[in-house]
């Protein structure tokens, strides 16, 4: 998952391209490059490292030109270095390609092209595209790109320029997100809206199989038979300010502190407190559809999968409908049994995660009704599903997902309430859920007061080799999420576990001082969780406990007791996860880690 940007218009391209890349850096940040078409033909500059390296190394004069493409990389084929950075060129050095995705038959194509004396400079799959364009005898660049793609298998979002066809960018989409930006007398291409903000709010989302041609005089979209395709022009709802740090040191910290507002946005206009109902018109599910639901299948990856695990508790408890939760990559490779009567929910912050996208396609082909629970408006999963729920959490730029998790849990509670009120949940119970949901934004703000204490706890954890996160019932997914956050930003090995499972093995990991973070809200599994804490204590583990206000039953047992406001037990994950997000953030800071750009990761995983 990489980020691509392109520009053609009256202005010098390089600054626009580099600014665009810096807003796409969360998609991949191990190397970056650009190519411009100027008075001296095609100029290519590329470097290992962050976009800032490219920015510092490129002067406008060196890469003059009003047309160009650029790329920030997350390596899949070939180590992250200058040679493997994009753009990649053909033998003549006149064609330059930037690509997001994976060419699955690249090895075969490389052998074929090498046998025809094409010279390869990099280890990448992408470079075959440049040579395939060079190999085509079609007269126009778009014709040559279409030719090249007819031999290619795999996923791609690609942009191509050619010094023999200046002031033109040819773009193609097959599986990886690509959109066009329509400006005043200038045109852009990008992997997502972030790169276009500040230039235009008018965007065109390309569909799979689309080929677009951008020139100074306009753009056109066609299919591989060069038949014109019409795509709607949408308007972006986010602006530069929402994409900025807003006085925080890191996006992760900003997004943790935005949760009062992101959760309020997820609830806005969707609660009918008097009727004890949720209004989810975007789902396109009428009473008859709901009556036909025999089971719910929740699909997602990483944090979204963890939100799905909370969703199971919510839907089974409030709607009494059986729920399966699956990691999308595993779901799609298992034998597919018929799924009629199954409502499948694809949970994804970015709306671009390839495994979740393919998972929902597999569910649909097995007869399931598929909806999305997505944050990014206009993303592929949003456009692929028959309806859905937008989170409206605003852009999530920190690679470690935080506010999306709490908004996903809130949206899943709204879904559970919506289904529940169709399957027998009483108006009183519905009103109680609606009341608890409405109280959340304030409770979240109150939760932030634990930050000073958590920072102190982080000082103990920062030198740890390993950490364990434990919970029971609806807190198990929170334990998994806490472990994931700590792993991905501080690189400390951490495991989340159902507390009762400890004695079946993982308890062997505990020795004197091992940090064991326990989620213990005052709910119906509290007492059992306390017994598990005593097992940990007996082996010398350091008990860091997150519990709810209003009791003193853990004052003696816990080494560190972090209190969050009490709420409905069904909603405790929205509050108990916050100290864990802060713990991961502050532990990573103390270890000098790059909190917003953790190593080896990227924000949206658009490759399988
Ligand atoms: C979470 O912090 C990670 N960034 C990652 O696990 C993420 O949740 C996963 O890749 C799913 O992303 P999505 O919600 O955009 O589909």
């Amino acid at each position: 998952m990489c980020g691509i940007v392109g520009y053609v218009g009256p202005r010098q391209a390089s600054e626009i391209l580099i600014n665009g890349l810096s807003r796409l850096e969360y998609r991949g940040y191990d190397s970056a490059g650009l190519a411009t078409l100027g008075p001296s033909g095609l100029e290519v500059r590329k470097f290992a490292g962050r976009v800032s390296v490219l920015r510092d190394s490129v002067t406008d004069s060196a890469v003059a030109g009003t047309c160009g493409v650029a790329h920030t990389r997350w390596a899949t084929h070939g180590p992250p270095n200058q040679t493997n950075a994009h753009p990649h060129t053909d033998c003549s050095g006149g064609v330059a390609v930037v690509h997001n995705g994976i060419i699955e038959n690249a090895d075969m194509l490389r052998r074929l092209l090498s046998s025809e004396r094409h010279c390869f400079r990099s280890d990448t799959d992408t470079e075959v595209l440049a040579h395939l364009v060079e190999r085509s005898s079609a007269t126009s660049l778009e014709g040559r790109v279409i030719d090249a793609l007819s031999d290619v298998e795999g996923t791609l979002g690609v942009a191509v320029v050619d010094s023999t066809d200046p002031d033109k960018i040819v773009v193609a989409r097959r599986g990886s997100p690509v959109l066009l930006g329509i400006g005043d007398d200038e045109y852009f291409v990008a992997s997502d809206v972030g790169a276009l903000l500040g230039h235009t709010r008018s965007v065109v989302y390309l569909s799979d199989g689309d080929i677009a041609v951008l020139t100074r005089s306009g753009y056109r979209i066609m299919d591989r038979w060069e038949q014109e395709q019409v795509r709607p022009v949408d308007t972006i709802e986010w602006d530069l300010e929402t994409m900025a740090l807003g006085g925080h040191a890191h996006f992760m910290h900003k997004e943790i502190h935005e949760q009062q507002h992101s959760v309020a946005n997820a609830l806005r206009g969707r609660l009918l407190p008097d009727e004890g109902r949720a209004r989810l018109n975007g789902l396109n599910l009428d009473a008859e559809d709901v009556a036909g639901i025999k089971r719910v299948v929740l699909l997602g990856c990483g944090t979204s999968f963890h939100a799905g695990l909370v969703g199971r508790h919510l839907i089974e408890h409030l709607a009494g409908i059986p729920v399966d939760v699956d990691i999308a990559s595993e779901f799609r490779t298992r034998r597919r049994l018929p799924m009629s009567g199954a409502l499948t929910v694809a949970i994804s912050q970015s709306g671009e995660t390839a495994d979740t996208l393919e998972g929902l396609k597999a569910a649909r082909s097995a007869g399931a009704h598929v909806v999305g629970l997505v944050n990014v408006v206009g993303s592929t999963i949003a456009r692929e599903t028959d309806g859905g729920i937008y989170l409206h959490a605003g852009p999530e730029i920190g690679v470690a997902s935080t506010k999306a998790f709490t908004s996903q849990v809130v949206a899943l509670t709204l879904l559970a309430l919506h289904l529940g009120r169709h399957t027998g949940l009483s108006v009183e119970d519905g009103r109680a859920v609606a009341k608890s949901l409405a109280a959340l934004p304030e409770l979240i703000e109150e939760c932030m007061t634990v930050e000073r204490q958590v920072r102190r706890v982080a000082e103990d954890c920062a030198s740890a080799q390993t950490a364990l996160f434990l919970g029971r019932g609806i807190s198990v997914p929170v334990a998994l999420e806490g472990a994931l956050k700590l792993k991905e930003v501080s690189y400390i090995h951490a495991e989340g576990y159902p507390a009762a499972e400890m004695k079946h093995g993982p308890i062997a990991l505990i020795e004197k001082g091992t940090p064991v973070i326990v989620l213990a809200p005052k709910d119906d599994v509290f007492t059992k969780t306390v017994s598990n804490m005593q097992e940990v204590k007996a082996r010398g583990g350091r008990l860091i406990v997150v519990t709810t206000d209003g009791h003193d039953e853990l004052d003696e047992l816990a080494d560190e007791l972090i209190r969050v406001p009490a709420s409905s037990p069904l909603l405790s994950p929205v509050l108990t996860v916050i100290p864990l997000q802060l713990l991961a953030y502050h532990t990573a800071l103390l270890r000098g880690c790059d909190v917003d750009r953790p190593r080896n990761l990227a924000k949206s995983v658009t490759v399988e």
Side-chain angles (χ1 to χ4, degrees):
M1 39 281 162
C2 308
I4 66 173
V5 184
Y7 172 80
V8 57
R11 295 186 280 162
Q12 283 299 307
S14 61
E15 173 100 16
I16 294 168
L17 295 172
I18 293 174
N19 289 345
L21 283 186
S22 57
R23 290 210 199 92
L24 294 186
E25 216 176 12
Y26 60 80
R27 305 176 62 88
Y29 34 85
D30 60 41
S31 53
L34 58 77
T36 56
L37 287 172
S40 49
L42 186 73
E43 289 290 339
V44 177
R45 296 286 184 281
K46 54 185 185 173
F47 301 90
R50 306 282 295 275
V51 172
S52 53
V53 177
L54 177 68
R55 184 189 296 282
D56 299 345
S57 321
V58 166
T59 57
D60 282 2
S61 56
V63 288
T66 57
C67 176
V69 293
H71 185 273
T72 181
R73 185 175 187 232
W74 191 88
T76 55
H77 290 69
N81 58 30
Q82 185 167 25
T83 311
N84 292 332
H86 298 208
H88 289 288
T89 56
D90 65 340
C91 301
S92 73
V95 172
V97 173
V98 293
H99 166 230
N100 172 25
I102 290 182
I103 309 293
E104 285 158 10
N105 60 343
D107 294 347
M108 181 277 287
L109 292 169
R110 180 183 278 255
R111 283 193 299 277
L112 169 73
L113 290 158
S114 302
S115 70
E116 295 174 359
R117 304 195 178 295
H118 284 266
C119 303
F120 282 79
R121 300 181 192 85
S122 78
D123 315 310
T124 66
D125 53 333
T126 300
E127 191 182 346
V128 295
L129 292 174
H131 295 285
L132 287 171
V133 171
E134 174 184 26
R135 182 172 180 261
S136 165
S137 56
T139 50
S140 69
L141 181 57
E142 54 270 29
R144 293 160 67 200
V145 170
I146 290 172
D147 266 2
L149 296 185
S150 63
D151 296 322
V152 166
E153 289 159 21
T155 57
L156 52 91
V158 67
V160 184
V161 290
D162 178 359
S163 57
T164 62
D165 205 338
D167 278 340
K168 179 188 280 186
I169 304 175
V170 174
V171 180
R173 178 200 157 121
R174 192 198 295 168
S176 300
V178 180
L179 48 98
L180 309 181
I182 315 304
D184 299 333
D185 190 26
E186 54 185 12
Y187 301 90
F188 305 81
V189 54
S191 298
D192 75 35
V193 292
L196 306 178
L197 288 177
H199 302 296
T200 178
R201 283 174 169 257
S202 304
V203 297
V204 175
Y205 294 94
L206 294 187
S207 299
D208 281 348
D210 284 354
I211 311 278
V213 180
L214 281 66
T215 62
R216 288 285 298 273
S217 56
Y219 73 96
R220 57 196 174 91
I221 303 172
M222 65 186 88
D223 62 15
R224 62 195 168 110
W225 298 282
E226 302 204 32
Q227 299 304 305
E228 294 301 309
Q229 304 292 310
V230 179
R231 301 282 176 248
V233 178
D234 290 315
T235 303
I236 309 173
E237 61 175 42
W238 297 340
D239 57 28
L240 270 178
E241 201 197 327
T242 49
M243 296 283 284
L245 275 167
H248 292 265
H250 300 96
F251 284 107
M252 184 178 180
H253 193 258
K254 175 193 176 210
E255 288 149 12
I256 290 172
H257 282 268
E258 276 179 344
Q259 294 181 95
Q260 173 190 10
H261 306 297
S262 50
V263 163
N265 290 346
L267 291 170
R268 189 161 294 111
R270 292 172 168 169
L271 272 182
L272 304 170
D274 299 342
E275 299 166 42
R277 287 182 185 283
R279 176 171 42 207
L280 296 171
N281 297 337
L283 269 180
N284 299 334
L285 286 178
D286 59 26
E288 200 187 322
D289 294 328
V290 175
I293 297 172
K294 299 289 171 283
R295 68 187 173 107
V296 173
V297 176
L298 304 175
L299 295 181
C301 302
T303 290
S304 295
F305 167 67
H306 295 154
L309 291 172
V310 178
R312 171 163 56 192
H313 285 269
L314 295 160
I315 295 169
E316 290 188 345
H317 186 89
L318 294 174
I321 300 173
V323 176
D324 297 325
V325 190
D326 239 312
I327 293 174
S329 53
E330 289 304 309
F331 171 83
R332 57 183 295 241
T333 51
R334 263 206 326 274
R335 178 182 164 205
R336 182 66 38 247
L337 300 175
M339 293 183 73
S340 57
L343 172 69
T344 297
V345 184
I347 307 172
S348 175
Q349 186 285 128
S350 61
E352 300 294 352
T353 301
D355 284 320
T356 307
L357 181 60
E358 294 309 314
L360 75 87
K361 290 178 182 170
R364 174 183 288 131
S365 61
H369 183 96
V370 178
V371 298
L373 204 154
V374 170
N375 189 37
V376 177
V377 174
S379 58
T380 308
I381 290 176
R383 290 181 294 120
E384 273 288 326
T385 41
D386 311 325
I389 304 173
Y390 275 131
L391 299 183
H392 299 302
E396 188 177 70
I397 295 166
V399 168
S401 186
T402 52
K403 63 177 180 177
F405 177 77
T406 47
S407 293
Q408 285 164 342
V409 171
V410 164
L412 286 162
T413 312
L414 289 168
L415 176 63
L417 179 59
H418 179 70
L419 298 176
R421 292 290 283 117
H422 281 90
T423 58
L425 184 73
S426 70
V427 63
E428 290 74 30
D429 290 345
R431 285 186 184 139
V433 174
K435 191 157 173 266
S436 306
L437 281 167
L440 273 180
E442 246 176 72
L443 297 179
I444 290 171
E445 196 50 23
E446 203 184 315
C447 225
M448 298 302 167
T449 57
V450 302
E451 182 158 14
R452 185 190 296 271
Q453 179 190 11
V454 172
R455 196 181 297 131
R456 194 168 38 70
V457 174
E459 281 154 19
D460 296 335
C461 294
S463 54
Q465 299 305 312
T466 184
L468 284 171
F469 290 75
L470 303 179
R472 293 185 82 133
I474 204 166
S475 295
V476 171
V478 184
L480 296 171
E481 180 57 12
L484 175 63
K485 290 284 93 80
L486 191 67
K487 271 184 279 212
E488 64 179 323
V489 292
S490 77
Y491 317 145
I492 293 174
H493 177 257
E495 283 198 63
Y497 249 87
E501 266 300 281
M502 282 290 292
K503 49 188 174 296
H504 303 289
I507 198 163
L509 290 170
I510 296 180
E511 54 193 12
K512 186 158 179 30
T514 303
V516 180
I517 295 95
V518 183
L519 290 306
K522 201 81 173 55
D523 59 15
D524 55 7
V525 290
F526 176 77
T527 314
K528 293 189 183 314
T529 309
V530 172
S531 340
N532 299 128
M533 281 191 253
Q534 278 149 351
E535 291 158 6
V536 169
K537 192 87 179 182
R539 278 118 187 125
R542 178 167 171 70
L543 273 178
I544 299 161
V545 181
V546 177
T547 189
T548 41
D549 277 337
H551 71 92
D552 58 5
E553 294 169 53
L554 298 172
D555 293 17
E556 300 304 310
L557 184 57
D559 297 295
E560 277 289 346
L561 194 52
I562 301 166
R563 295 178 185 283
V564 299
S567 71
S568 149
L570 281 173
L571 297 176
S572 66
V574 175
L575 301 170
T576 56
V577 76
I578 293 173
L580 308 189
Q581 297 168 341
L582 290 166
L583 180 64
Y585 174 74
H586 286 290
T587 305
L589 270 193
L590 288 165
R591 289 165 65 93
C593 301
D594 188 337
V595 173
D596 282 342
R597 304 276 181 275
R599 69 186 183 200
N600 304 341
L601 286 178
K603 183 66 185 170
S604 64
V605 185
T606 55
V607 291
E608 294 165 33

